[in-house]
Amino acid sequence: MVSTKLYAAIYVVLFVFATVQVVVEEIGLLEEAYWLAFGLIIALSLIKALFVAGYYQHLRYEPRSLTYLLLGGLLAALALTIASSYSVT
Amino acid sequence: MIGGGTLLGAPLIAAQTDIIPRGSRSAVFNQIYWVFLVLGTLVGVIVIGYMLYNAYKYRAGRAAGSERSAESGEGGPALGELPQGSGGGRKLALSFTLSAVIVISLILWTYGTLLYVESPPDAEESMEVEVIGFQFGWEFVYPNGNTTTGTLRVPTGERVRLRVTSRDVFHNFGIAELEAKADAIPGQYTDTWFIANESGTYQAQCYELCGAGHSYMNATVVAMEPAAFERWYANTTPANGTTNASPEDAATTTASTNHGAKADVAAAPGATAPRAAALETNAAEASAERSLAR
Amino acid sequence: MTHDDHPRDDGPGQAAADERTKPDDGSPRTDGGRATDGGHAGATGELPATGPAEEEHHGFPPMSSVKRWFVTTNHKDVGILYIVTSLLFLVFGGVLALLMRVQLWAPRAAGEGILSALAYNQSVSIHGLIMVFWFLSPFAFGFANYVVPLQIGAKDLAFPRLNALSYWLYLFSGLLLGISFFQGGSFAGGWTMYAPLNIPAYTPSIGASTAILALLLFVVSVTVSSVNFLTSMHRMRAEGLTLRKLPLFTWSILLTVWMMLFAFAALLAALMILSADRLAGTTYFAAADAGGSLLWTHLFWFFGHPEVYIVFFPALGVMAETFQTFTGRRLVGRKWFIASMLLVALQSFVVWMHHMFLTSINLQIKTLFMATTIGISLPFDLMVFSLIYTTIKGRIRFLTPFLFSFGALLLFIIGGITGVFLGAVVLDYEFRGTYWVVAHFHYVMVAGVTALIGGLYYWYPKITGKMYDEFLGKVHFALYFVGFNLLYFPMFVVWETPRRVFEYDPAFAPWHKVATVGGFVLGASFLVMFYNLYTSLWAGEDADSSPWAHSTTAEWAIPSPPPLENYPGIPSYGDGSLSFLDRLGGSDRAADGGEVTDGVDVAGDHATDGGVADDRRATDGGTVATADPATAVERAGGKSHEHDAGDHGEGHGPSHASIWPFAVSVGAFLTLLGLSGLQEGAFAPGLEGGLYMALTGVGFLVGMASLVAFGRERFHGLEGPFGESWPFEGIENTKTGVWIFLASDVVLFGAFIGSYVFMRVASGWTTWEIVPGDPLPGLMNTYLLLTSSFTVVLALVAAEKGSRGGVIASLLTTFLLGVGFLFNKGIEWDHLFHEGLWLDTNVQASTFFLTTGLHAGHVIAGLIVTLYLIVRAWQGAYLEDSGSIEYFGLYWHFVDIVWLFLFPLFYIL
Ligand code: HEM
Ligand SMILES: [Cu+2]
Ligand SMILES: [Cu+2]
């Protein structure tokens, strides 16, 4: 399937991204521009998640139906989160 | 998104101002309710009638052992076939479209009224009362800070705005005859309004299960002529609440402090007492239960 | 026989007849399973528990034996168990309803009438809960269990033991609910369980906690069941049964289960939070400032609206089937009917706020949800018309099943029209909390019940092999229909009665009296049914394979009741209609133990299950019947065997018995019963508290031990595909199951995170104070978890390379990293506790501890599995078949991904 090297490379990327997330906080970006920092940190999490799902769970190499299955769950959760939060604004 | 609804409704209202029911809550409700009721009954009768007519018309004969002979009917579904449908799609599409048109236009029509009901009236022309639910009664706070329990006094012919909340659990404040209703949610405020056109007393009730006393979580709404109301209101002060209330609510006030038990203006205080007492027992039971359980 | 001349019919029919005369030696023709199992035979040998279970396997007790019902995993048995149990709950819920109706005979002052105020509230609440959860859905799923595998042409569900587990969890959850009445009173906050009435400050009895935990257990049962059904229905359909061609009942169940998977996950989240509030002292729902009670309404109705369709869809399916059968016509607009159901199933997740129009949600969102709500009502119009048009030009036979279905349609029309009233927000403002709502939802839901009762009469001959008494059936219907309308129609007339009260305007009393009378008539009608169905078991005429003309689906092509393994061959619709394929000539399939064709030889080899002791007729040498070489190869590759809970039997033919589902459920039952005694995270001192604590401990031990035994048991399930398996072709059953489960777990965590986001938005996002002051422990844990994910990947790589040492080393590292994660978390929490932060300090602390706690729970579960894997790997497993490691990895990576979001959300932002 995928070589161990690639797995290891991804591991390094994940490690670095996690560190960057904390660095973003440490340099005080959150205080300066909260929503920018927010977007950055969440985006990093998303990318990490995609790597884990795509390679470690090898979704990339599986039938697409599995991806859609999970996206379905994610969509339901997002609908709940976004609509409920929006309803009280 | 924001205002999408308003965008949708605004031209509608502009174009059909006359069609959109407005007025007091009860007037609005009644108009819409009756249109729905008549149309709903009509549709129901037609559809169910048609259904029964077909059922009668296409009944199989009473031939004995009909299960045996039924199979010989030409072309019906047969055992082991792959499921398939039969024709008739056009008719289906037609009746579907028709029903969709009816339903959607009805709802759009009421949407105009929803926008009207939801548009907050001018602060000038209306009084705002804060309604606070608690187990098991209602407290009312008037703009001047005057606070009463169990009785809400309002002037007739005027919009009264309610800002409803709760001190403990989820309740719902509703005045059936005036068609006003709002959830009373701890930590949240919900708004509603009503107009009482006739002077007199109305009953307010709790419409959300809130514990042992829920069935009796009532309050009285007294609608008074504006002049009488003004007189009464001018005499109230934030500090001493209802002390200056007109004599006939003295009974009400006493009864309703008993955990807001049914405060029936007509009934003598004596008559309400047993009920209130029974409720107290229930509440006591509930708290005793907790300590027992531990 | 009605269809003696029917070519497809006489095979199995004859077979059954022949079989009855044959002596039964109880021995399988071939076994070989044990021989080929060498891989882990040693492992199994160590565990005495599997010994007896293995014996059962070949001497499956007959239906007359009580033992059979405790060990059975066969879908038909489980179906019967579901049906019977759900009917018991109908009686339970019905008695509560009648008690309420008696109380409502006249307006009552407090203390008057047969029920006290609290007793009334308990009755309303538990009646609602029982009818919706413990009666309606399980009743429908009794049929689903029995009929769906038959309709898709499978011998059983994909995970038979999980199916039995679902049943036992269901039963025990019901028992738990019953017990709650004896623990100082059951839950009294309504079936909607609104917050904050649902927390101990307002509903303090222990029984109230038990009721919540009972529902929690029920939800677990539903989740297990959903995963099982989805895997089976997608992966194990007969050739030619593409989704488009599925029978309508099966279609309705398929969509129901999809909705269940996601909706019940949201309910699970809600109930977990509620349980934490009740037992551990978190303060989600008490948090008025942060919108705690609104949060509950969101979570509950996000589940609750799909639930409306979850209980109704199976009924629609029954209606569609019976309308076709008894009118002798195929459904008009079948394609559109299916499309409508599909649309409703999707849309049901975006209408929930129509239950909240009177809360403080804003106008924009009200408008949006008003629109989606009208939208969702329209497909139902189409379905109703489709059913009505189906009767045209038919030859309608008004037999009992059809009477009920027809009546159901009529009632549903009334329910639907009155529902449109509620969709008009202005009207809803006034109807909310009144008997209009009560009448409306009873017309809808009990219409569903009506159709399902039609289903009960419809399938009764199939299930029992006996005909019910038609006259009594009609009497039942007449009483039922009259009683129903007497009961519920008056509620529309006096709709201004507030809901859940027993004191109302005396002017309404006459109508309430009529309703009460109607309630008793309705109740009496069920006595007729029970009498009829019970006596027919002995006295009924024998039913042949299809007592109904124009029935089409596969269950009618085999004897009534069907043999244990359902079909005399491999069912196939490959040539356009149902046929049973024989084996296609001998081959050496025996060696690889594929389950595809086993259990089937020639028709004559099959026993009907009517009490015959033996069922296992494994035959050798069946060949792959499907022509798909790719799947055949995959199967031969040894990847497709039973992976149930990590053990891979290679014997022939499916097993049918396991006691472990029952045992696991007993463990869960005791544990939850014990936990109900918790308050604020501690058991009360003294004898009672000690008792609860002991129960928890015992239950936990029983549960864990049974789970291990469950895992080690050699149980041979079925592996598809047998034909159609869209859209999961080429993904083994277990893997499909794991993914489906993970999808529901996404919703579970999604709802937890959503709750956090909601609370935070409600109380001001940026003013919210983050609980852990220091992100470094979180970062450390991120590193640990990421690394552990990496080592699981390495374990899989090692397994594929055949390196036993590599597998063990990687798994061990994973385990240690996981323990490190927990340890680190422990230190961090300890720290926070010492700073004076506890679960109940504030919402911030509650959300932090609970959400990351749920995640930690997932980690712990993962570590237990890791331990198990390590032991098995030590014994040399997984080198040929690394499936279990792969599936565990999917789970573990998922837990990792969740942390990737929890970390920034709770530590940084
Ligand atoms: C068989 C299917 C039935 C279902 C699915 C069902 C469902 C429900 C539900 C969900 C509630 C709401 C409970 C709550 O508000 O917490 C309810 C309330 C109620 N049901 Fe049923 N029910 C069924 C049958 C019956 C029967 C047969 C009767 C009468 C004999 C009945 C009488 C009542 C009454 C009196 C209430 C209380 C209404 C209120 O005060 O809000 N139900 N039912
Ligand atoms: Cu209440
Ligand atoms: Cu709904």
Side-chain angles (χ1 to χ4, degrees):
Chain A
M1 221 188 298
V2 189
S3 77
T4 314
K5 263 194 206 125
L6 181 56
Y7 287 136
I10 290 171
Y11 170 63
V12 172
V13 171
L14 295 174
F15 208 91
V16 171
F17 276 21
T19 316
V20 172
Q21 286 180 311
V22 175
V23 168
V24 169
E25 194 210 9
E26 295 293 316
I27 61 170
L29 192 59
L30 273 172
E31 273 88 59
E32 271 173 46
Y34 182 84
W35 292 110
L36 175 71
F38 179 94
L40 203 65
I41 289 171
I42 292 291
L44 286 173
S45 277
L46 260 179
I47 298 171
K48 281 192 287 181
L50 287 179
F51 270 120
V52 177
Y55 292 91
Y56 285 9
Q57 295 182 307
H58 35 89
L59 268 182
R60 256 200 81 182
Y61 309 99
E62 301 280 6
R64 233 7 98 231
S65 52
L66 288 183
T67 310
Y68 294 137
L69 169 68
L70 290 177
L71 283 183
L74 191 63
L75 210 65
L78 281 178
L80 173 63
T81 309
I82 294 172
S84 63
S85 298
Y86 175 68
S87 76
V88 287
T89 53
Chain B
M1 184 65 252
I2 303 185
T6 338
L7 280 181
L8 193 74
L12 237 151
I13 296 187
Q16 309 167 326
T17 324
D18 303 341
I19 315 177
I20 307 291
R22 284 147 177 261
S24 73
R25 295 300 291 267
S26 356
V28 166
F29 175 81
N30 277 322
Q31 279 182 54
I32 298 180
Y33 177 65
W34 282 103
V35 170
F36 269 65
L37 200 60
V38 170
L39 270 178
T41 313
L42 205 70
V43 170
V45 167
I46 291 174
V47 173
I48 292 176
Y50 182 64
M51 181 180 154
L52 292 173
Y53 163 78
N54 280 326
Y56 180 75
K57 182 165 169 202
Y58 296 108
R59 72 199 184 281
R62 293 198 73 243
S66 58
E67 278 315 280
R68 250 146 258 251
S69 51
E71 190 78 12
S72 57
E74 72 306 328
L79 187 62
E81 73 178 24
L82 262 180
Q84 48 187 306
S86 44
R90 182 173 300 171
K91 199 161 158 188
L92 191 61
L94 196 73
S95 19
F96 170 68
T97 315
L98 195 70
S99 72
V101 166
I102 295 180
V103 171
I104 292 177
S105 42
L106 270 178
I107 300 282
L108 278 184
W109 171 64
T110 65
Y111 185 65
T113 305
L114 176 66
L115 292 182
Y116 163 71
V117 165
E118 290 273 332
S119 63
D122 268 341
E124 312 284 275
E125 60 172 77
S126 61
M127 179 176 77
E128 181 177 276
V129 182
E130 188 177 331
V131 180
I132 304 165
F134 59 90
Q135 280 178 324
F136 298 98
W138 299 101
E139 189 175 288
F140 304 99
V141 183
Y142 294 85
N144 67 0
N146 172 37
T147 304
T148 64
T149 301
T151 308
L152 170 66
R153 296 183 166 272
V154 297
T156 54
E158 248 182 55
R159 274 214 210 198
V160 178
R161 286 179 296 141
L162 302 178
R163 245 174 111 56
V164 184
T165 187
S166 162
R167 187 173 295 156
D168 40 44
V169 302
F170 202 125
H171 305 272
N172 177 299
F173 182 77
I175 314 167
E177 290 150 286
L178 302 174
E179 313 292 356
K181 204 175 270 175
D183 283 333
I185 310 171
Q188 305 275 318
Y189 279 92
T190 52
D191 301 300
T192 189
W193 61 270
F194 66 91
I195 302 174
N197 281 325
E198 312 271 303
S199 60
T201 59
Y202 304 86
Q203 201 185 42
Q205 269 169 306
C206 178
Y207 285 86
E208 181 59 55
L209 183 61
C210 55
H214 170 59
S215 285
Y216 307 106
M217 187 168 154
N218 305 330
T220 309
V221 180
V222 181
M224 309 163 80
E225 294 299 333
F229 178 79
E230 282 308 325
R231 230 174 302 127
W232 170 80
Y233 189 63
N235 276 330
T236 60
T237 57
N240 55 3
T242 52
T243 42
N244 292 334
S246 42
E248 90 262 27
D249 356 305
T252 314
T253 323
T254 11
S256 42
T257 41
N258 277 329
H259 270 156
K262 186 178 171 78
D264 193 342
V265 197
T272 43
R275 268 186 189 172
L279 271 179
E280 296 251 79
T281 333
N282 272 328
E285 259 169 35
S287 48
E289 196 182 0
R290 191 188 163 102
S291 37
L292 267 181
R294 280 179 156 262
Chain C
M1 275 178 110
T2 315
H3 315 293
D4 261 347
D5 53 348
H6 203 293
R8 275 174 232 108
D9 200 21
D10 53 11
Q14 275 312 110
D18 289 350
E19 187 54 39
R20 282 193 199 100
T21 62
K22 276 193 186 173
D24 226 302
D25 55 16
S27 60
R29 294 286 159 76
T30 45
D31 194 319
R34 286 160 206 253
T36 51
D37 199 44
H40 20 275
T44 318
E46 284 169 22
L47 205 75
T50 53
E54 189 62 13
E55 301 285 331
E56 305 292 2
H57 175 66
H58 295 294
F60 191 44
M63 279 179 140
S64 56
S65 149
V66 175
K67 188 173 166 205
R68 153 103 164 216
W69 298 100
F70 283 93
V71 299
T72 185
T73 62
N74 182 271
H75 74 98
K76 294 185 292 303
D77 292 352
V78 175
I80 293 171
L81 286 171
Y82 261 108
I83 294 172
V84 172
T85 311
S86 66
L87 286 173
L88 291 178
F89 280 110
L90 169 69
V91 174
F92 187 178
V95 169
L96 290 175
L98 289 177
L99 284 175
M100 283 189 284
R101 282 311 329 169
V102 170
Q103 181 79 0
L104 288 167
W105 181 258
R108 314 279 187 177
E112 262 175 42
I114 54 169
L115 297 175
S116 73
L118 271 176
Y120 188 86
N121 290 354
Q122 285 178 51
S123 305
V124 178
S125 314
I126 306 301
H127 162 74
L129 288 171
I130 287 189
M131 289 305 199
V132 174
F133 293 107
W134 277 276
F135 164 58
L136 199 36
S137 271
F139 189 43
F141 269 75
F143 299 127
N145 260 291
Y146 203 99
V147 175
V148 164
L150 292 172
Q151 289 196 340
I152 64 175
K155 275 189 251 165
D156 207 323
L157 291 171
F159 312 113
R161 286 185 307 171
L162 290 188
N163 195 30
L165 180 65
S166 298
Y167 168 74
W168 290 111
L169 290 177
Y170 155 58
L171 177 70
F172 279 107
S173 69
L175 292 181
L176 212 49
L177 186 73
I179 288 177
S180 72
F181 279 97
F182 304 101
Q183 294 174 296
S186 190
F187 186 72
W191 89 282
T192 47
M193 302 170 276
Y194 268 22
L197 184 60
N198 57 8
I199 61 173
Y202 302 106
T203 41
S205 77
I206 290 187
S209 298
T210 310
I212 302 296
L213 292 173
L215 190 55
L216 193 89
L217 192 58
F218 179 84
V219 175
V220 173
S221 149
V222 169
T223 306
V224 173
S225 189
S226 310
V227 170
N228 201 351
F229 268 86
L230 286 172
T231 308
S232 313
M233 293 175 80
H234 280 294
R235 292 264 312 147
M236 295 164 62
R237 281 168 285 131
E239 191 187 2
L241 271 188
T242 58
L243 283 191
R244 281 162 179 271
K245 294 290 179 196
L246 279 187
L248 280 162
F249 178 69
T250 295
W251 247 118
S252 69
I253 295 295
L254 181 65
L255 291 172
T256 305
V257 195
W258 272 115
M259 286 189 283
M260 278 180 163
L261 185 75
F262 292 130
F264 274 84
L267 180 62
L268 187 59
L271 291 172
M272 281 178 164
I273 296 176
L274 178 55
S275 304
D277 269 15
R278 290 194 68 95
L279 307 180
T282 51
T283 58
Y284 274 74
F285 298 130
D289 298 336
S293 35
L294 269 188
L295 172 68
W296 175 266
T297 53
H298 278 297
L299 288 176
F300 182 82
W301 289 116
F302 183 78
F303 146 80
H305 198 88
E307 171 70 1
V308 172
Y309 303 120
I310 288 170
V311 297
F312 195 73
F313 267 32
L316 262 180
V318 171
M319 283 196 247
E321 296 283 343
T322 46
F323 266 67
Q324 300 191 94
T325 299
F326 292 98
T327 62
R329 285 202 69 216
R330 299 179 186 93
L331 196 72
V332 169
R334 180 187 140 89
K335 210 167 48 184
W336 297 112
F337 195 93
I338 294 173
S340 300
M341 287 203 293
L342 198 64
L343 193 69
V344 169
L346 288 172
Q347 215 177 324
S348 67
F349 287 93
V350 288
V351 296
W352 78 91
M353 277 187 242
H354 66 212
H355 297 274
M356 303 166 58
F357 281 146
L358 279 181
T359 63
S360 46
I361 59 175
N362 60 36
L363 182 59
Q364 291 83 17
I365 206 103
K366 280 184 195 169
T367 305
L368 182 65
F369 276 79
M370 184 189 86
T372 53
T373 301
I374 327 166
I376 208 169
S377 73
L378 299 178
F380 280 104
D381 297 358
L382 188 134
M383 291 189 254
V384 166
F385 286 124
S386 158
L387 286 173
I388 295 180
Y389 291 153
T390 300
T391 60
I392 295 180
K393 300 214 182 80
R395 291 171 72 228
I396 308 170
R397 290 115 56 213
F398 283 93
L399 298 173
T400 310
F402 184 72
L403 281 175
F404 273 95
S405 285
F406 189 77
L409 182 59
L410 201 154
L411 300 174
F412 181 64
I413 291 173
I414 298 177
I417 291 176
T418 53
V420 173
F421 283 56
L422 294 170
V425 184
V426 208
L427 295 186
D428 179 72
Y429 279 178
E430 316 308 336
F431 287 137
R432 156 97 158 82
T434 66
Y435 262 72
W436 185 279
V437 178
V438 178
H440 156 70
F441 72 66
H442 278 100
Y443 262 92
V444 173
M445 277 203 274
V446 192
V449 175
T450 312
L452 290 175
I453 290 175
L456 183 58
Y457 283 104
Y458 185 57
W459 281 304
Y460 181 86
K462 176 55 58 189
I463 295 173
T464 62
K466 301 284 183 182
M467 283 309 286
Y468 60 85
D469 184 286
E470 183 61 38
F471 173 74
L472 285 179
K474 287 187 167 133
V475 170
H476 176 203
F477 175 73
L479 277 176
Y480 180 99
F481 199 74
V482 170
F484 181 105
N485 287 293
L486 276 183
L487 171 58
Y488 296 119
F489 202 80
M491 295 186 190
F492 282 125
V493 181
V494 291
W495 69 264
E496 282 170 301
T497 318
R499 183 178 168 188
R500 297 161 166 175
V501 305
F502 48 91
E503 200 265 4
Y504 51 84
D505 188 342
F508 297 159
W511 293 103
H512 279 292
K513 288 190 164 57
V514 174
T516 300
V517 171
F520 278 91
V521 175
L522 186 65
S525 80
F526 278 98
L527 296 182
V528 178
M529 179 184 94
F530 287 127
Y531 173 80
N532 185 357
L533 297 188
Y534 185 73
T535 50
S536 300
L537 274 185
W538 322 111
E541 262 179 65
D542 283 344
D544 55 31
S545 64
S546 176
W548 318 118
H550 291 301
S551 57
T552 59
T553 44
E555 75 268 27
W556 303 110
I558 49 172
S560 309
L564 193 67
E565 289 184 356
N566 297 348
Y567 292 107
I570 302 153
S572 164
Y573 286 87
D575 58 3
S577 65
L578 178 62
S579 57
F580 299 115
L581 303 183
D582 277 354
R583 52 182 179 148
L584 306 175
S587 82
D588 55 357
R589 289 273 303 156
D592 71 38
E595 313 279 342
V596 189
T597 51
D598 64 5
V600 176
D601 187 8
V602 280
D605 201 11
H606 230 71
T608 52
D609 191 37
V612 184
D614 174 36
D615 62 282
R616 275 299 321 117
R617 306 214 150 230
T619 60
D620 55 338
T623 320
V624 190
T626 52
D628 182 353
T631 51
V633 168
E634 182 228 311
R635 237 177 273 123
K639 267 238 169 179
S640 63
H641 308 137
E642 164 65 36
H643 289 299
D644 221 342
D647 204 342
H648 319 176
E650 306 229 344
H652 283 263
S655 316
H656 293 286
S658 169
I659 190 66
W660 302 116
F662 173 77
V664 171
S665 308
V666 172
F669 169 78
L670 294 177
T671 309
L672 291 187
L673 188 56
L675 284 180
S676 70
L678 265 183
Q679 264 170 343
E680 301 283 336
F683 289 102
L687 187 62
E688 198 184 318
L691 201 69
Y692 277 114
M693 188 150 51
L695 267 179
T696 313
V698 170
F700 186 75
L701 287 181
V702 170
M704 286 313 290
S706 316
L707 268 179
V708 170
F710 189 111
R712 315 223 59 177
E713 183 178 44
R714 293 194 302 150
F715 186 94
H716 314 148
L718 296 159
E719 180 65 49
F722 304 101
E724 311 297 334
S725 50
W726 189 86
F728 300 122
E729 296 101 341
I731 313 169
E732 309 90 291
N733 281 359
T734 311
K735 188 162 162 184
T736 308
V738 169
W739 273 116
I740 292 175
F741 166 74
L742 288 181
S744 88
D745 225 15
V746 167
V747 178
L748 176 71
F749 271 112
F752 265 85
I753 295 175
S755 304
Y756 165 74
V757 170
F758 175 83
M759 301 288 265
R760 191 165 166 179
V761 168
S763 72
W765 182 275
T766 39
T767 54
W768 179 278
E769 268 192 39
I770 294 243
V771 170
D774 184 4
L776 288 183
L779 183 64
M780 274 303 297
N781 267 348
T782 312
Y783 291 155
L784 287 173
L785 219 49
L786 284 174
T787 314
S788 75
S789 253
F790 183 57
T791 53
V792 171
V793 171
L794 291 183
L796 187 57
V797 172
E800 274 160 8
K801 286 194 184 135
S803 150
R804 173 162 165 265
V807 173
I808 296 174
S810 316
L811 286 177
L812 210 58
T813 319
T814 309
F815 182 77
L816 293 176
L817 288 166
V819 170
F821 175 93
L822 291 175
F823 191 70
N824 191 17
K825 189 177 241 356
I827 295 177
E828 180 203 30
W829 281 26
D830 192 53
H831 212 75
L832 291 172
F833 293 157
H834 277 105
E835 281 173 20
L837 273 175
W838 184 243
L839 278 71
D840 60 1
T841 307
N842 51 29
V843 214
Q844 287 85 344
S846 290
T847 50
F848 170 75
F849 285 118
L850 195 59
T851 314
T852 57
L854 176 71
H855 179 265
H858 273 69
V859 171
I860 293 172
L863 289 183
I864 293 174
V865 177
T866 314
L867 262 190
Y868 180 86
L869 292 179
I870 291 173
V871 173
R872 293 296 316 275
W874 191 266
Q875 292 158 349
Y878 311 129
L879 297 181
E880 270 144 44
D881 180 357
S882 54
S884 298
I885 294 183
E886 186 191 349
Y887 309 144
F888 166 69
L890 297 179
Y891 170 82
W892 192 254
H893 300 314
F894 167 76
V895 175
D896 189 10
I897 291 178
V898 171
W899 182 257
L900 293 181
F901 289 96
L902 294 188
F903 170 54
L905 277 176
F906 284 95
Y907 287 85
I908 305 181
L909 292 173

